[in-house]
Structure formats: structure tokens, C-alpha cells
Amino acid sequence: MFIDRLLLKTFRNYVHETISFSPEINVISGANGSGKTNILEAIYIASHIKSFRNCTDKDIIQWGKHEYYISVQVKNADISTIEIGTSVSDQQSGKKVKIDGKEIKKLSDFYGKINVVAFFPDDTVIISGTPDVIRRYFDRLISKVDKEYIELLTSFRKILKNRNRLLKDIPYKRDIIKQLDIWDSMYSDCASALVIKRKQYIEHFNTYFKTLYKELSGFNDDLTIKYYASLHNENVTDVKNELSKKRNIDIQMGTTTLGPHRDVYVIYGNENTMFKSYASTGQRRLASIAMKLSEVSLIYDIKKSKSIVLLDDVLSELDDDRRKNVLQKLIDGNHQVIITCASSNDVNFVDNYKHLQVVHNRVSE
């Protein structure tokens, strides 16, 4: 699987730009602020619907315009084209997604259609960030390889929202408390299935992560990621019993205090010590890269499909040996790689690659 062509219309600094890629290594160079990362952002949106940046669709649309359009043509995949169009006005906003010309309504019918794994400078948040940040990372990863998981997650979030709304209303309408039985039953089914899948996938993920961190870092740390479910048991009946015991507390708090939305992933190093409590900035960077490389391996292992790997000025933070090590693993795996850097000198150890330059809001070969 690889991206053959990307078309952008009124997307950030690009008015109308068509970019062709090599199925192997692609290097995008240009001055800071020239729009290199915007190209990666468009590809990321085409695979995740949302930007990796903390921004709205209105922020992405070119100044003075009211819409943007992305088209991605892929090869060696089950699909050939993904299109995303977004329009924003004072009255309304909307986004349409099409795969091979057919409009997609459900997230589960879109997510994971193309395998994009992105490396960004702020990725250390998946190592040392808050529990919800790390939990979202694994939710996105599992959703890429397991359609049932994203359907469960979508249902769970809707059920959780409705249960919480009911909990807030109960103190003012005591007669509606019986409705909790219905929501608790649906909640337990979804929560149980999610926890079971999370346990399975983190065990699989760790088989890659431990080895890759050692290879990249050269350190002897035996890293492992442990998953802690807030529910004591994933059995549906046990989940219902736990919810029942917490019902009065949930009503007082006006929120659901147990469940997958409270789960935690923790990275441990040697002697079962929390990694982020002693890791240097460099060690956290290497651990985040090891996690993304593990993601590439997991996707291939489950889907038997190569990934499109985006590297946004990440290699410049590594020394020469580690830079070569990371790229060599991707090259050996025959994954398409798209790298942004200030100068092509940052990748002068790569023998063959397609070089794209961004100058004055245009991309040239």
C-alpha cells in the first residue's frame, strides 16, 4: 500500500497543488514555515478524518475561502481514492468523506482503510502525557486493525454520554432512576468487550515494543507497557455488579466513575520502575519512536499490509546511527516513507529517494 498522488485545494497555504510520491522514500525539504508539515497533515486527515494538530476545520481552510478539499490516490490497496471535503460558513459547517466515489457515513467504514503511521516532534506525550492522551493513542491504533473495536468504542461513548446525562438528572427527578438498569446493561456489554480487546492488543504490542526500544536505544532497559482496567473483572455480570455497587456514588458525582474511559496504560522500565519518572528527554523520544515502529509492525502482522509512514522533522533530533537505524527498519520493511526536513542533507545517508521542495507555496521535484 502506498500513496501515489495527493491533490490539495485551498488547504492551508496550498491553492491548488498536485503532488506525486514514490512508493519508497520521499523527502520534502523547505524553509521553516513553508508548508512541509501541511502536506503530512493532509495525508493524516485522509486516514484519521481529524488533524493531528489541535485545530478546527476552519483553521485549515485557506484564508478568505470557505472550504478545502483533499484527494488521495493509493495503490496496492483494496481502495483507490479517498476524498475529504469540508465547508465552513457562518451558518453551518460540514464534512463529506468518499471512498472510490461512495459517500461514507460511519467512522468504522472509513477508519483503517489506509495505514498511516505518523511520527511528530511532540510524540513524547504518548510516553509522559496524561492517561487520556495515552489511552486515545491505543484506541486509535486498535481501531486501525479491528473494525469491531471502533464500533464498540463508538457505541460505548454514546452510552456513556447518555448514562452521565441521566445521572445528572436523577437528583431532580428521582423517578427516572429505574432507567439506569437499561443503560447499565448496555454499558456492561460494551465495557466488557473493550477491556478484553485492550488486554489482547497490549500483550501483542509489547512483543514488538520491548525489542525495538532496546535496538534503538542501546540501553538495557526492559520496557513494558501495562494496562490497568478500572473494572476489576471484564466479565459482563461482574461489570454490572460493580456498577450497581457504585451507583450511589455515580449519582452523587453526576458521572460514571468506573469503566474503559478511566483505564490507564503505564510504561515500566527495569525493576518495575515507572519509565517516565527517570527517563531523560532523549530516552522518551526513543521510546515514542519505538512505539510508532511497533505500531507499523502490529498493523502488518494483523492486516498483512504495509504502512505509509510520515516523519515530520523527527530524524533531525537523533544522532546519525539512530537515524540510520530507524530508516533502515522502514526501508527493510518496504514501507512508503515521507520525510520532512529543513535540508536534504539531513538524509544524505539514504542512497535513493524522491526529493520534493516547497518554495513559495508550491511543490516541485
Side-chain angles (χ1 to χ4, degrees):
M1 175 185 294
F2 64 91
I3 293 175
D4 182 56
R5 191 179 298 266
L6 171 68
L7 171 62
L8 303 176
K9 293 182 181 179
T10 58
F11 184 93
R12 294 209 182 264
N13 63 312
Y14 297 105
V15 178
H16 190 293
E17 199 73 17
T18 301
I19 308 166
S20 298
F21 296 97
S22 160
E24 299 173 342
I25 306 294
N26 301 266
V27 176
I28 305 172
S29 66
N32 291 335
S34 62
K36 304 185 300 292
T37 301
N38 296 344
I39 297 170
L40 302 193
E41 181 182 26
I43 296 171
Y44 189 91
I45 292 172
S47 62
H48 294 76
I49 289 194
K50 294 182 179 180
S51 170
F52 62 87
R53 289 166 162 150
N54 185 21
C55 65
T56 65
D57 284 324
K58 188 176 181 180
D59 298 323
I60 296 171
I61 296 172
Q62 195 169 77
W63 179 257
K65 304 295 182 180
H66 301 286
E67 59 190 17
Y68 74 73
Y69 173 79
I70 300 169
S71 174
V72 174
Q73 293 181 16
V74 293
K75 295 287 183 69
N76 295 355
D78 295 333
I79 63 170
S80 58
T81 307
I82 288 180
E83 298 171 275
I84 295 183
T86 299
S87 61
V88 177
S89 65
D90 293 337
Q91 289 76 32
Q92 60 184 0
S93 64
K95 178 179 285 184
K96 284 189 177 182
V97 178
K98 289 183 179 181
I99 294 180
D100 294 339
K102 181 181 178 182
E103 188 171 351
I104 302 299
K105 298 291 187 181
K106 291 171 60 180
L107 185 62
S108 58
D109 290 336
F110 166 83
Y111 212 78
K113 288 297 184 182
I114 57 173
N115 311 320
V116 171
V117 179
F119 294 66
F120 294 113
D122 62 355
D123 277 344
T124 52
V125 296
I126 63 176
I127 302 298
S128 54
T130 57
D132 62 308
V133 169
I134 302 170
R135 189 169 54 244
R136 281 199 301 271
Y137 169 75
F138 282 106
D139 280 343
R140 284 194 295 268
L141 168 54
I142 300 170
S143 294
K144 290 178 184 179
V145 297
D146 191 331
K147 183 176 179 179
E148 185 184 9
Y149 185 85
I150 195 169
E151 290 174 343
L152 281 167
L153 191 62
T154 301
S155 296
F156 173 78
R157 287 169 175 166
K158 290 177 181 176
I159 294 165
L160 177 63
K161 184 178 179 180
N162 284 305
R163 188 177 191 270
N164 285 344
R165 185 183 295 124
L166 183 63
L167 289 169
K168 288 181 173 66
D169 290 342
I170 287 173
Y172 309 101
K173 304 173 185 177
R174 295 297 300 184
D175 58 319
I176 64 173
I177 195 170
K178 291 182 179 179
Q179 295 179 29
L180 270 179
D181 292 336
I182 299 170
W183 290 111
D184 284 3
S185 179
M186 292 189 290
Y187 184 93
S188 300
D189 289 340
C190 269
S192 170
L194 284 173
V195 171
I196 290 170
K197 283 184 177 290
R198 285 178 177 177
K199 286 183 177 180
Q200 291 171 344
Y201 280 106
I202 198 60
E203 184 177 349
H204 195 165
F205 187 87
N206 270 322
T207 61
Y208 300 112
F209 179 62
K210 290 180 179 181
T211 303
L212 284 166
Y213 179 74
K214 282 186 175 181
E215 289 179 358
L216 284 179
S217 68
F219 300 134
N220 230 0
D221 273 12
D222 191 17
L223 296 195
T224 188
I225 305 172
K226 294 185 180 180
Y227 164 64
Y228 296 100
S230 67
L231 296 163
H232 293 97
N233 196 308
E234 64 267 22
N235 179 276
V236 175
T237 302
D238 291 333
V239 174
K240 287 180 182 177
N241 289 336
E242 283 195 63
L243 281 178
S244 179
K245 291 176 183 177
K246 287 282 188 177
R247 178 170 285 192
N248 288 335
I249 293 174
D250 285 357
I251 292 171
Q252 290 173 18
M253 300 287 291
T255 191
T256 305
T257 55
L258 282 176
H261 60 299
R262 306 280 184 178
D263 293 351
V264 175
Y265 293 87
V266 181
I267 303 174
Y268 289 97
N270 290 340
E271 299 179 0
N272 209 33
T273 305
M274 286 180 65
F275 180 67
K276 69 179 183 180
S277 68
Y278 70 83
S280 66
T281 301
Q283 286 174 306
R284 294 181 187 192
R285 165 61 61 208
L286 291 170
S288 69
I289 291 172
M291 282 183 71
K292 293 300 183 76
L293 288 173
S294 300
E295 182 178 342
V296 171
S297 297
L298 184 71
I299 289 171
Y300 182 73
D301 197 21
I302 293 172
K303 299 178 72 174
K304 305 304 178 192
S305 178
K306 304 293 184 179
S307 291
I308 297 144
V309 181
L310 312 179
L311 291 159
D312 185 30
D313 202 26
V314 173
L315 295 178
S316 62
E317 299 183 7
L318 305 178
D319 59 45
D320 287 345
D321 288 340
R322 289 184 174 123
R323 198 181 303 169
K324 291 177 185 176
N325 198 358
V326 170
L327 264 186
Q328 197 60 51
K329 288 182 183 301
L330 297 171
I331 293 169
D332 290 346
N334 295 317
H335 301 284
Q336 183 182 39
V337 181
I338 304 174
I339 306 167
T340 66
C341 54
S343 168
S344 58
N345 290 332
D346 291 343
V347 289
N348 56 14
F349 54 86
V350 180
D351 293 330
N352 297 301
Y353 60 84
K354 182 169 185 175
H355 186 197
L356 300 166
Q357 283 186 302
V358 182
V359 180
H360 301 310
N361 303 326
R362 299 305 305 268
V363 181
S364 60
E365 295 186 18

